[in-house]
Amino acid sequence: MDKELYKIAAKACADVYLDNFDLGSTEYKLSIVKYKKIYIQVLAIAGTNEARDWLKNINPWSTNGIKAVAAMAAKEIKSGFMRELGCKLLVCGHSKAGATAIAYKKLFKADWCIAFAPARSLRYWMNRKMENTTLFIDPDDPVSKAGFIGFGHPKCKVIKAKNDHVGLNVKDHFMCNWIKFVNTIA
């Protein structure tokens, strides 16, 4: 994957909070964008933005090694849209939706997956290797650390932001910071 794809994913993940298709506690947005010389379909999923999402975030159950709430959300999204014929699919998400994007790619084989500050979503005993997947993680962000006892991140490319705080810092978690970060690495 390259920096242009990261920028597309960051913008889509920020935009989904403003305009989306609402499935209850899961929201997503589809778009078609030009990437290099082709058009790709982008499935952006919104992270925690409702009170009931917090309860779902701490659910310790899994389905076939994937965090149960992430797998369920991925299945709900899958049943709600059609892939564009001839378009590659980029699935991306932030926070709770990072876990959902990972689940979507694992279950339904998207071409790429990019997750910003994702919640951990895969059991350690399962095959966590994922091709064409990139995680953006801030070492002092608590979301990407939570759940480490039962769940891990996929084994994939990880791009880490600078650890610029002592302890944990929730402010680094928000998409506006990830957009700035992606633009600095470009």
Side-chain angles (χ1 to χ4, degrees):
M1 279 191 266
D2 63 17
K3 295 169 186 169
E4 184 183 350
L5 206 56
Y6 299 152
K7 287 181 179 182
I8 290 169
K11 181 178 181 332
C13 283
D15 290 349
V16 71
Y17 286 102
L18 305 172
D19 179 26
N20 58 58
F21 184 76
D22 192 346
L23 296 174
S25 66
T26 300
E27 294 86 25
Y28 71 92
K29 181 177 181 176
L30 290 167
S31 58
I32 304 285
V33 299
K34 193 167 188 177
Y35 168 62
K36 297 188 177 183
K37 295 182 179 183
I38 63 169
Y39 286 95
I40 64 170
Q41 189 172 20
V42 179
L43 168 59
I45 308 165
T48 300
N49 60 4
E50 298 175 21
R52 65 181 158 178
D53 286 343
W54 289 103
L55 293 173
K56 288 186 172 197
N57 287 342
I58 60 172
N59 184 327
W61 301 107
S62 64
T63 303
N64 297 322
I66 301 172
K67 192 170 187 179
V69 294
M72 182 175 60
K75 289 174 185 174
E76 287 176 339
I77 292 167
K78 172 75 169 133
S79 69
F81 84 96
M82 297 287 293
R83 281 187 68 168
E84 289 291 324
L85 294 176
C87 281
K88 291 189 174 201
L89 178 63
L90 163 64
V91 61
C92 53
H94 167 247
S95 191
K96 171 187 76 123
T100 303
I102 291 163
Y104 190 97
K105 178 145 184 354
K106 198 83 167 147
L107 293 168
F108 305 117
K109 313 296 184 221
D111 297 287
W112 305 283
C113 176
I114 299 173
F116 296 93
R120 293 171 180 256
S121 58
L122 302 176
R123 293 285 188 197
Y124 291 107
W125 50 260
M126 76 177 302
N127 178 5
R128 294 183 295 130
K129 185 174 172 34
M130 291 180 67
E131 299 292 328
N132 296 323
T133 300
T134 301
L135 307 184
F136 284 84
I137 295 178
D138 190 312
D140 52 31
D141 176 6
V143 172
S144 295
K145 295 177 187 240
F148 69 92
I149 293 173
F151 294 97
H153 289 301
K155 292 181 180 181
C156 62
K157 182 175 184 175
V158 175
I159 298 174
K160 290 185 180 180
K162 182 180 173 189
N163 188 352
D164 54 358
H165 297 92
V166 175
L168 301 176
N169 183 20
V170 176
K171 290 192 303 185
D172 286 350
H173 181 72
F174 301 111
M175 274 312 301
C176 57
N177 290 310
W178 287 112
I179 289 173
K180 287 179 198 171
F181 179 76
V182 167
N183 286 327
T184 63
I185 63 170

